Amino acid sequence: MPFAVFRQHQRKLLAVFAILAMIGFVLSDTLPRWMNSGRSEKDTVVADLFGKKVYRSDLAQVEAQRIRANRFMAFADRSGMGNPNYFGGTSRDELIDALILEREANRLGIPDSAEFARRWVDRETNGVMNAAIFDAILDRFEPKVGGEQLLIDLANQIRIRMARDEIALPIVTPLDVFRNYRDQTEKTSFKVVPILAESFTDKVGDPSDSDVADLYEKYKDVLPDPKSPTPGFKVPRQVKVEYLSIDVNEVARKIKAKLPEEEVKAYYEARKKESKDDEFLMDRELPADLFKGAPELTPVRYIPFALQRDTMADALAREKANEEIQDMFGAIRDEVIDKFADAYREVEDEIAEAKKEGASTEGRTLPKPEDLAGVAKKYGLAHEVTPMLDRREAEHYGRISEAQAGTGRSADTKKFAGVAFDPKTQLFEGFELSEILGERYLVRKIADSPAHVAD
């Protein structure tokens, strides 16, 4: 029967088979190209892992994720160290390791959800991290990234770190990864011979005093630059600052413990009334425009106070803490810092005017300030005086180096070094800084040495 059907329709079937053969011939060459059309010619294979090819673009995705997660932890690290590689580096070897450990994390069932990341961050920051601080950190990201995306990035890097630190290392050692990578990619081997400078010093000899003097004269007016192949002996501009500091979070915790319930509830009602977005709205069961022209007939359902109580108490306590600190800093500036700065400016102007008129300046000396240790003790503040710092040192001087002018957050706002080295910031003039995790500073510059040739 099948053969009879074929004989009856053989012309049509042969034509169909011929067309299918031609299509197969054409697609045998083009189909693989279509399947890989999403990758560019530069998207080369960098490794073979678990029977699959790993492309450069795959590593780029892991790299972008790790950079964002590392940047978040650099801001959130309360130790002040700001480790730029909290979750690891971004070399090709390290990113391939990350893919291996990601698979291990999957096998172990370590979660990769945003909620997992939230709990981990809360534990790592001892409960300090809240929505306001998280949003403030987000604002410092360029290019911008969504909060949910950042939490997913963190979750994956956390699970990779857990697999590496707690489980993966006994199973897949760095040496195993290195050998595997070398077996797949090594095309040339090298032998390295160290060449020690000490081996040649006896052939050069010690420089004469005149050689040293000539070198100094040649570069004495050049500022040191680590990127320059030549030395620089000019002393860069240096400043010394004295500052008082206090942790807003600690003040807020003490205030929160004493907040009356009625005050927190009144704050909740005021915030709910002033809110212009959906911050306090529950998911609507009914559409807002259910009754055309009469929106008041559609009930509005707010999140109950009981569910918002802790959030409102945190926000109210933080507001009160900032107000309390602002009043404290204002009093210190009025009573001590600005009072002395005004007296210093007055004598400074008198001396300058006398010199201008050719009059004697004898008996006119600039006043010397008392340190702020007594003030710090009176108000319960931390007190520190820095050594003389050049601009580069100031940009990395502890937690205060990340503090910004004022209490707002903006990419254009100057940090500590920018304010301290600003020509408009005068000696003994007070200025305030705030650090993203809650530390606030009242600072004054007590010494400013211009760039000069060393004696």
Side-chain angles (χ1 to χ4, degrees), residues 161-216:
R161 178 177 172 131
M162 291 174 66
R164 180 192 65 202
D165 293 347
E166 300 177 14
I167 301 165
L169 281 178
I171 301 170
V172 182
T173 68
L175 182 59
D176 294 332
V177 175
F178 170 72
R179 285 173 174 168
N180 182 57
Y181 175 74
R182 185 181 61 185
D183 291 343
Q184 295 181 45
T185 63
E186 187 177 53
K187 295 180 174 63
T188 306
S189 60
F190 299 90
K191 290 186 178 179
V192 179
V193 178
I195 301 176
L196 303 177
E198 291 83 351
S199 304
F200 299 88
T201 52
D202 58 339
K203 299 177 182 178
V204 177
D206 294 331
S208 64
D209 291 342
S210 61
D211 290 336
V212 174
D214 290 343
L215 182 68
Y216 175 74

Side-chain angles (χ1 to χ4, degrees), residues 60-72:
Q61 293 176 12
V62 181
E63 180 182 20
Q65 183 185 80
R66 176 161 286 182
I67 287 173
R68 289 192 292 266
N70 280 340
R71 184 168 173 76
F72 174 85

Side-chain angles (χ1 to χ4, degrees), residues 236-241 243 384-398 400 416 420-421 447-449:
R237 181 187 173 194
Q238 295 176 311
V239 302
K240 178 190 286 189
V241 303
Y243 63 85
E384 182 170 345
V385 178
T386 72
M388 295 295 287
L389 304 170
D390 61 32
R391 180 66 181 255
R392 190 177 294 107
E393 292 169 334
E395 289 173 347
H396 299 90
Y397 190 81
I400 193 174
F416 164 65
F421 282 83
D448 193 338
S449 174

Side-chain angles (χ1 to χ4, degrees), residues 128-148:
V128 170
M129 183 64 63
N130 57 31
I133 296 175
F134 185 82
D135 290 341
I137 294 177
L138 272 184
D139 289 341
R140 301 179 71 174
F141 271 75
E142 291 293 343
K144 297 299 182 184
V145 60
E148 195 71 14

Side-chain angles (χ1 to χ4, degrees), residues 16 87 98 165 185 202 232 321 334 341 374 422 444:
V16 170
F87 291 109
D165 293 347
T185 63
D202 58 339
D334 291 341
D422 190 330
R444 69 174 178 179

Side-chain angles (χ1 to χ4, degrees), residues 29-295:
D29 180 57
T30 58
L31 188 58
R33 295 184 183 179
W34 290 348
M35 294 179 65
N36 292 320
S37 60
R39 300 187 184 275
S40 67
E41 293 181 359
K42 295 181 179 180
D43 195 9
T44 56
V45 175
V46 294
D48 288 306
L49 294 179
F50 314 115
K52 294 183 179 180
K53 295 185 183 301
V54 177
Y55 290 85
R56 190 184 300 272
S57 59
D58 298 325
L59 294 189
Q61 293 176 12
V62 181
E63 180 182 20
Q65 183 185 80
R66 176 161 286 182
I67 287 173
R68 289 192 292 266
N70 280 340
R71 184 168 173 76
F72 174 85
M73 290 307 300
F75 288 138
D77 184 3
R78 289 185 57 79
S79 69
M81 300 302 291
N83 182 5
N85 289 321
Y86 188 92
F87 291 109
T90 55
S91 68
R92 186 163 68 170
D93 291 1
E94 289 169 309
L95 295 176
I96 291 174
D97 287 352
L99 291 175
I100 295 171
L101 293 171
E102 187 177 34
R103 179 185 174 94
E104 183 64 18
N106 291 337
R107 187 187 70 80
L108 295 167
I110 303 175
D112 59 355
S113 65
E115 183 58 33
F116 169 70
R118 285 191 188 93
R119 292 197 302 269
W120 184 89
V121 170
D122 184 67
R123 185 178 69 250
E124 286 295 300
T125 59
N126 296 318
V128 170
M129 183 64 63
N130 57 31
I133 296 175
F134 185 82
D135 290 341
I137 294 177
L138 272 184
D139 289 341
R140 301 179 71 174
F141 271 75
E142 291 293 343
K144 297 299 182 184
V145 60
E148 195 71 14
Q149 178 61 55
L150 181 57
L151 287 171
I152 295 298
D153 292 341
L154 281 168
N156 200 43
Q157 292 302 311
I158 292 164
R159 60 205 295 271
I160 287 173
R161 178 177 172 131
M162 291 174 66
R164 180 192 65 202
D165 293 347
E166 300 177 14
I167 301 165
L169 281 178
I171 301 170
V172 182
T173 68
L175 182 59
D176 294 332
V177 175
F178 170 72
R179 285 173 174 168
N180 182 57
Y181 175 74
R182 185 181 61 185
D183 291 343
Q184 295 181 45
T185 63
E186 187 177 53
K187 295 180 174 63
T188 306
S189 60
F190 299 90
K191 290 186 178 179
V192 179
V193 178
I195 301 176
L196 303 177
E198 291 83 351
S199 304
F200 299 88
T201 52
D202 58 339
K203 299 177 182 178
V204 177
D206 294 331
S208 64
D209 291 342
S210 61
D211 290 336
V212 174
D214 290 343
L215 182 68
Y216 175 74
E217 286 297 323
K218 184 176 181 180
Y219 296 107
K220 69 178 183 180
D221 285 319
V222 178
L223 288 169
D225 182 357
K227 298 178 182 179
S228 174
T230 57
F233 301 119
K234 191 171 186 178
V235 180
R237 181 187 173 194
Q238 295 176 311
V239 302
K240 178 190 286 189
V241 303
E242 180 180 25
Y243 63 85
L244 305 170
S245 63
I246 188 169
D247 186 356
V248 177
N249 302 305
E250 188 61 35
V251 177
R253 272 193 286 270
K254 293 178 180 177
I255 292 174
K256 181 182 177 182
K258 300 177 181 179
L259 283 175
E261 192 72 7
E262 297 77 13
E263 189 174 358
V264 179
K265 192 165 186 178
Y267 181 77
Y268 161 78
E269 294 294 340
R271 285 277 301 271
K272 184 175 71 173
K273 188 175 180 180
E274 296 170 0
S275 177
K276 296 180 180 179
D277 51 27
D278 295 338
E279 179 184 1
F280 294 91
L281 290 181
M282 296 184 70
D283 294 336
R284 289 182 178 272
E285 293 182 353
L286 299 173
D289 59 348
L290 180 63
F291 300 97
K292 297 292 185 182

